[in-house]
């Protein structure tokens, strides 16, 4: 399988919204993805596996700190390195543009995601009680400094 990472495009929004709906209880919409393109401080990337959209990851740059707001991989491409490829690209591009630290939130029960983030040097620095809905769950706040 050949994986390519490129910047988010407007025409990706529909496929990503469908992917979100399959993955999350409170998914981003097509409009949410399109709005990212309107902000100069948002940097989002799409992974293509053999030409098919396989995932998306991006960050919002806030004064040289990057908030990784979304990581999603299509169900059929999970456990094939897509998430790792996206994170590697996001971190590399962020650091190249002057980002000094990265942060994200993850459900405390999402052990596979937590493990992936730890592989990239993220560490837990706190808990946000009841942050997630549907179902209500705490968020682990992770940083890579």
């Amino acid at each position: 399988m050949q994986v390519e990472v490129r910047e988010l495009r407007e025409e990706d929004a529909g496929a990503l919204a469908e992917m979100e709906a399959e993955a999350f209880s409170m998914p981003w919409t097509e409009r949410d993805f399109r709005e990212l393109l309107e902000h100069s401080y948002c940097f989002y990337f799409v992974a293509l596996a053999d030409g098919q959209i396989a995932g998306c990851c991006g960050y919002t740059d806030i004064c040289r700190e990057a908030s990784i707001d979304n990581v999603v991989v299509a169900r059929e491409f999970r456990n094939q390195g897509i998430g790792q490829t996206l994170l590697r690209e996001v971190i590399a591009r962020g650091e190249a543009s002057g980002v000094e630290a990265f942060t994200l939130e993850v459900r405390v029960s999402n052990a596979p995601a937590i493990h992936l983030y730890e592989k990239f040097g993220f560490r837990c620095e706190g808990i946000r009680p009841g942050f997630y809905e549907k179902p209500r769950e705490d968020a682990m706040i992770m940083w890579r400094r």
Side-chain angles (χ1 to χ4, degrees), residues 52-73:
Q52 181 181 350
I53 294 178
C56 180
C57 181
Y59 68 92
T60 301
D61 188 343
I62 306 164
C63 301
R64 297 188 180 223
E65 290 185 348
S67 175
I68 296 177
D69 306 311
N70 193 324
V71 180
V72 63
V73 175

Side-chain angles (χ1 to χ4, degrees), residues 2-95:
Q2 285 217 324
V3 178
E4 169 196 351
V5 177
R6 63 159 169 76
E7 292 181 8
L8 173 69
R9 298 177 186 162
E10 187 172 351
E11 61 265 22
D12 300 329
L16 292 173
E18 288 177 22
M19 189 181 304
E20 282 269 316
E22 289 179 359
F24 301 121
S25 61
M26 297 184 69
W28 286 15
T29 65
E30 282 188 50
R31 182 178 179 175
D32 294 327
F33 283 104
R34 285 193 177 98
E35 286 179 354
L36 295 170
L37 298 168
E38 299 173 11
H39 304 294
S40 62
Y41 49 85
C42 292
F43 303 89
Y44 276 75
F45 306 93
V46 171
L48 302 172
D50 294 332
Q52 181 181 350
I53 294 178
C56 180
C57 181
Y59 68 92
T60 301
D61 188 343
I62 306 164
C63 301
R64 297 188 180 223
E65 290 185 348
S67 175
I68 296 177
D69 306 311
N70 193 324
V71 180
V72 63
V73 175
R75 188 173 317 276
E76 63 268 27
F77 291 106
R78 291 187 190 151
N79 300 312
Q80 297 182 43
I82 302 293
Q84 288 184 53
T85 299
L86 282 164
L87 275 175
R88 190 176 302 111
E89 187 75 18
V90 163
I91 290 168
R93 291 201 192 202
E95 288 177 342

